[in-house]
Amino acid sequence: MAFIGIAILSMGAALLKASPILGLDPFTALSIGMASKFHTTLGVYQLGANLFIFIFILFLDRKKIGIGTIMNMVLVGFEIQWFSSLYHVIFPGKVTVLVLIADLILGLLMFTAGSSLYMAPSLGVAPYDAIALIISTRFHIKYKTARVGQDVCFLVAALIAGGPIGFASIVVAFFAGPLISYWDRSISTPTMDYINDLSEQPSFKSLANVVTSATKSGYNSLSNAYNSTLDFQMHLAGYTNQELLKKIQDTEHNMKESQRAYNEYRTQYRMLIAELVKRDKDGELPTNNRPSTANNSQK
């Protein structure tokens, strides 16, 4: 998941890099601007910048460092270069407006989805991504808020350095955090669950069971949503204007509360699992008392 996620986010960044009109994510835009000033390539400069931030992460929260950190540090800059070269081979001339729109949409989706995928297994995150996570933990603020603040600061720095800032840069700066949170819920966490279930008994039969289970789960979710919506629609005509407005307000409130509770429980769960895995690695847990979650620590 980490390797594939890094490749996907690099593809997304390469799509955004295809046109100066679109612009890049703040960190990559800053890296390109600084690489130009130092007369070096993006891959070399970004590796050096990551190493610089890496030193601070070692002192602030070394738990964020893992094999995923090293993979991101080494691969992303060079992969963006490679995918950009491939893009210009496929589209050698000027691209049309439709291609630019496709680049923008696919680039944003792939960049944020890839970020979510490589961070989800908790194998360590890129030094840049670790900044928002550390700020969120130390100052007890939401990750989305910390990520937006961080991206805005790097966006300003990229603008000063002469990096490729465009519409996509602004969108990434304000929506990367929320989009990553969305991909966490809808793709990354379910994917980890399926992989963990499959890895307990790796076989074609287990794979078939996981696929069947996922298909049934998806069908049941859609079916329940449809039936619930249909039942709700049947009662809509009977509501007065005031009752309808009240229902809308109640539903909005319930949605916000459910999302808040979900985020809080998920944060607590990951912190507990991280502490459990740490104690397990340090040999602090007796072998016969280790709970089963220690073997599924990536969930």
Side-chain angles (χ1 to χ4, degrees):
M1 281 185 67
F3 183 80
I4 292 173
I6 288 171
I8 291 175
L9 79 87
S10 299
M11 280 188 248
L15 287 174
L16 296 176
K17 185 175 179 291
S19 171
I21 299 175
L22 297 180
L24 281 161
D25 66 280
F27 181 61
T28 308
L30 175 60
S31 297
I32 290 177
M34 295 302 293
S36 177
K37 290 184 180 297
F38 285 104
H39 305 289
T40 185
T41 63
L42 170 63
V44 172
Y45 175 82
Q46 192 153 309
L47 177 59
N50 277 323
L51 285 171
F52 180 76
I53 303 174
F54 180 81
I55 295 173
F56 287 94
I57 304 302
L58 276 175
F59 291 101
L60 293 174
D61 190 356
R62 63 183 59 195
K63 291 180 181 178
K64 297 289 187 296
I65 296 172
I67 185 63
T69 308
I70 308 302
M71 290 169 62
N72 188 291
M73 287 172 57
V74 175
L75 295 176
V76 171
F78 295 104
E79 285 189 357
I80 292 175
Q81 285 182 213
W82 187 82
F83 284 123
S84 295
S85 301
L86 183 62
Y87 179 91
H88 291 299
V89 170
I90 299 173
F91 299 101
K94 288 186 176 181
V95 295
T96 64
V97 175
L98 289 177
V99 174
L100 281 177
I101 294 174
D103 287 345
L104 173 62
I105 296 174
L106 289 176
L108 288 172
L109 294 178
M110 293 177 73
F111 179 81
T112 52
S115 298
S116 172
L117 280 172
Y118 98 81
M119 287 192 292
S122 300
L123 297 179
V125 299
Y128 178 78
D129 292 321
I131 297 173
L133 291 169
I134 292 172
I135 292 174
S136 175
T137 302
R138 295 210 167 201
F139 294 96
H140 306 289
I141 60 177
K142 291 183 178 179
Y143 169 74
K144 291 186 287 188
T145 304
R147 181 66 187 237
V148 169
Q150 172 188 328
D151 286 340
V152 169
C153 291
F154 274 81
L155 183 66
V156 174
L159 191 61
I160 296 172
I165 298 297
F167 175 73
S169 306
I170 299 172
V171 173
V172 171
F174 285 96
F175 294 102
L179 279 172
I180 290 172
S181 296
Y182 169 77
W183 291 124
D184 283 346
R185 296 191 304 271
S186 59
I187 291 181
S188 300
T189 300
T191 300
M192 281 195 301
D193 292 341
Y194 290 139
I195 292 174
N196 284 334
D197 291 340
L198 177 64
S199 64
E200 290 179 358
Q201 294 179 340
S203 66
F204 287 109
K205 183 178 179 180
S206 299
L207 178 60
N209 290 335
V210 169
V211 173
T212 302
S213 176
T215 304
K216 287 181 179 179
S217 177
Y219 172 78
N220 290 333
S221 297
L222 289 174
S223 178
N224 291 335
Y226 173 78
N227 291 331
S228 182
T229 302
L230 186 63
D231 182 65
F232 191 72
Q233 286 177 336
M234 292 175 63
H235 293 83
L236 283 178
Y239 292 136
T240 64
N241 291 340
Q242 291 182 341
E243 288 176 335
L244 185 60
L245 291 173
K246 183 65 168 58
K247 284 287 182 182
I248 292 174
Q249 293 175 352
D250 291 343
T251 303
E252 289 177 345
H253 175 74
N254 291 336
M255 287 169 60
K256 291 178 181 178
E257 287 298 311
S258 297
Q259 183 64 51
R260 182 186 61 79
Y262 171 83
N263 290 335
E264 289 180 356
Y265 281 122
R266 188 173 176 211
T267 301
Q268 294 174 13
Y269 177 79
R270 286 191 167 183
M271 291 173 65
L272 290 167
I273 291 298
E275 180 64 22
L276 179 65
V277 172
K278 178 179 177 297
R279 295 185 184 187
D280 186 31
K281 288 181 179 179
D282 293 341
E284 297 179 13
L285 293 179
T287 304
N288 57 346
N289 288 333
R290 291 177 184 173
S292 58
T293 39
N295 297 323
N296 294 319
S297 59
Q298 302 302 329
K299 288 187 179 179

